[in-house]
Amino acid sequence: MAAAAESGARTWPGSGSPRLGSPAGSPVLGISGRARPGSGPERTGRSIGPAAPGHSFRKVTLTKPTFCHLCSDFIWGLAGFLCDVCNFMSHEKCLKQVKTPCTSIAPSLVRVPVAHCFGSLGLYKRKFCVVCRKSLEVPALRCEVCEMHVHPDCVPFACSDCRRCHQDGQQDYDTYHHHWREGNLPSGARCEVCRKTCGSSDVLSGVRCEWCGVQAHSVCSAALPPECTFGRLRSMVLPPSCVRLLSRNFSKMHCFRIPETVALELGDGDDGLDGSAATGLGREMLTATESTKQTLKIFDGNDSMRRNQFRLVTVPRLARNEEVTEAALRAYYINEDPRDFQLQALPLTILSGNAQAPGKAGTTEEEASKGSGPRDSMPEAWVIRSLPRTQELLKIYPGWLKVGMAYVSIRVNSESTARSVVQEVLPMLGRQVEDQERFQLIEVLMSSRQVQRTVLMDEELLLDRLWDIRQTSVRQVSQTRFYVAESRAMAPHVSLFVGGLPPGLCLQDYSNLLHEAMATKAAVVSVSHVYSLQGAVILDVTCFAEAERLYMLARDTAVHGRPLTALVLPDVLPPTSQHTKLPPDCCPLLVFVNPKSGGLKGRELLCSFRKLLNPHQVFELTNGGPLPGFHLFSQVPCFRVLVCGGDGTVGWVLAALEETRRHLACPEPSVAILPLGTGNDLGRVLRWGAGYSGEDPFSVLVSVDEADAVLMDRWTILLDAHETDSTENSVVDTEPPKIVQMNNYCGIGIDAELSLDFHQAREEEPGKFTSRFHNKGVYVRVGLQKISHSRSLHKEIRLQVEQQEVELPNIEGLIFINIPRCWGWALRDSAVWARARSRVGCALESALPRAPTSALRSSRLLQYKWMVSPGFRPPGT
């Protein structure tokens, strides 16, 4: 495709012959992207110097109410200053104070590139895109780890500046600086420095640290200390320096156990025609309705032509070459000299996708133009090409820390190789006395979705490498870095959690089973931990390629009819790393969220907790259950647990805790509850409320941090059913014994039947159980239906208390109570409870509290630490 484009290409009318040897127009921090004399029209107003990093401001006439993006105040009058590239608007008085970098140079200012985790499309009211700075009036994307919002067609231009939540062997460091994110602050946010309002619902203004939550004006943020202390939640956050994950071959979605969704790339949405992304003052597609203007399809290289992803640009029909080229570069957020590029026309026959030529396939553009229909009905297609260069200015970043500079700049020519660049750069970085053969040049592509690293061969020519990158995509050069780093052999190590296996097997049986199902390689794969009761194992894989193969294969494999679950788990507090110990006052919070509980509010809580804490300490229970979380925290000496769900979810988590207790360095963590279920009886007793109703997640975490700890019993009940054979007067087992756990109460009869029917109905149609109020109504309706059936339970069971048999009246249910009260029963199934309570009688209620151990003779008593709201006093104190 590229060859066809080159052979039949024509430049924009009016352009002269290409100028060879033009130096790269790489923007330097603080220098605006102004055009050279004679290269185009002069900008209205003036270009701004060191105070405006990378911006290209011009004076514009305002036709509607507009706000300044720096101070967020209204711009009075008819004149403002607008950046042609990123749409940054400013007062004239604020121009000298602008510190926010332009989108065109923002990738060069990223300290450590980290890819984002974009979820599914959603509507975010009064939010702004961080790339084009425009309002999100259409469905947009949001990073699941940081507070970045972006239009779908702006994703390719977003910086790979997500939070760094773990160490991966690449540029690891102990000191964490503030991770600033611009805009989308609450309207009442106050600046930490000047105490004035810094948030705005009208423009993208103000900054916020993604770790500690400090908010400030972009100008005032320079007065704050650069080091981040993780803020109010520092004792609950798992420090990134304590987490290690070699994530090569795995995306950020895999590392954070976030379910993958189909997120739109440039041009995959409905914003434009034929995979286009419109540019201009609005989000709507631009059309050339005026006879003096025309709309062009602009591609930025071979990759965009292959994907048929383009930008629509509207220009005057009589525009000069430099004007059109500059508009095309601005559409791709490239603020370089237009004279270093040219536009080449594309024959319509080579375009793929939905763009169809009016002529027959295989005809030339001239022949196609003779077909019926006006040519103005279809925009012309052009591709941005970089002119050949004899030398370029290249930035080389050090691959180690604390060297005193961000990068060094050198010029490369046609004879510069990767080895010669390394030899030239090392003395400039203070490494002249070291063995230069131990260092290598690494190319890093900083895509917003994935950061890719490639080690360059010593004899590779860098000028040719840059030329190939520009042919692929002219904007990709700004997203590419070159690091000089010491070549060292990194020992591969990946921990894979595999669940869904048959329970009750030994280590060798699980190894044989996985080998049969997935053909594991014994040389690089070993089973390090076995959780037999849960049917899960932890695999240690010493090969990145094998780890990726097993991960992808496990998700499509079923063993004995059950699908497997595979998760990538990091290592917390590696024994070999002496400097990654937890701070003395740190007690991380392990968060479990059940998104199916109650009103299905867990999905939003998942995203909120990932942003407030380290995403590695937040687990979704529908993706592997609670076992991966406890295994991850097995080496943490002190931690707490927050369970977001109903009473059943709490019991699920405690059952996993009981199995893994002997593997934990903290065998008795305190447990807090965020009630998301329907009844939430345990949450009521521990004073966490009747149910979550949209409170601020930050306030919830603060309440957990300030909560007191109390002890509460938890029972293990052995159910052993027998049947008497009348002929031989012997006891015959009807089914094997069953062990159940009791937190709140254990019911036999109508209550158990009602709960089972509700659970099965919710499993069959979970979409109908999205409201807590609706769920309570289902309980009442089904309970009223079951009252009409008589069970005569007193004829089927016998009750013994302290080896004394208790005579039972005519009852419909028998309930053993562990918590002080059942406040949720009055709301959940009041009619059923009233009738069952009246039939149980006072004798049973008075007997159970006096001798619970005798009443549950086959039970084993455990005590757990529960966190309760501040000021709570246990009953009887």
Side-chain angles (χ1 to χ4, degrees), residues 171 392-400 403 405-412 416-418 420-426 428-429 439-443 456 462 466 480-485:
Q171 298 175 277
E392 286 208 43
L393 187 66
L394 194 63
K395 297 178 180 178
I396 306 296
Y397 293 78
W400 54 88
V403 296
M405 62 183 68
Y407 60 85
V408 294
S409 299
I410 63 171
R411 289 193 176 275
V412 296
S416 300
T417 63
S420 64
V421 168
V422 170
Q423 294 174 351
E424 183 179 355
V425 166
L426 284 178
M428 303 171 64
L429 297 174
F439 292 86
Q440 58 190 4
L441 196 63
I442 302 176
E443 176 189 310
L456 301 182
L462 288 186
L466 293 173
T480 303
R481 280 186 183 179
F482 293 91
Y483 285 86
V484 56

Side-chain angles (χ1 to χ4, degrees), residues 268-285:
D268 289 340
D270 298 330
D271 300 79
L273 179 66
D274 300 333
S276 66
T279 62
L281 296 180
R283 303 303 305 173
E284 69 277 358
M285 190 187 76

Side-chain angles (χ1 to χ4, degrees), residues 311-389:
R311 309 279 285 181
L312 294 179
V313 178
T314 298
V315 295
R317 291 186 177 275
L318 300 180
R320 293 183 295 175
N321 172 46
E322 290 80 2
E323 296 176 351
V324 180
T325 304
E326 188 174 6
L329 293 175
R330 285 201 305 265
Y332 284 94
Y333 298 93
I334 301 173
N335 198 4
E336 298 188 32
D337 188 354
R339 300 201 309 174
D340 292 332
F341 301 88
Q342 68 176 4
L343 290 177
Q344 293 180 351
L346 292 180
L348 295 180
T349 55
I350 72 170
L351 294 180
S352 58
N354 297 326
Q356 301 292 334
K360 297 181 180 181
T363 59
T364 63
E365 185 183 13
E366 288 76 9
E367 294 173 341
S369 64
K370 298 178 182 178
S372 61
R375 283 299 309 276
D376 292 343
S377 62
M378 178 168 291
E380 294 189 53
W382 300 79
V383 59
I384 306 174
R385 292 298 187 187
S386 176
L387 296 177
R389 310 181 185 190

Side-chain angles (χ1 to χ4, degrees), residues 12 143 190 488 624 786:
W12 183 263
C143 179
R190 294 284 179 178
R488 62 179 184 271
K786 293 185 177 297

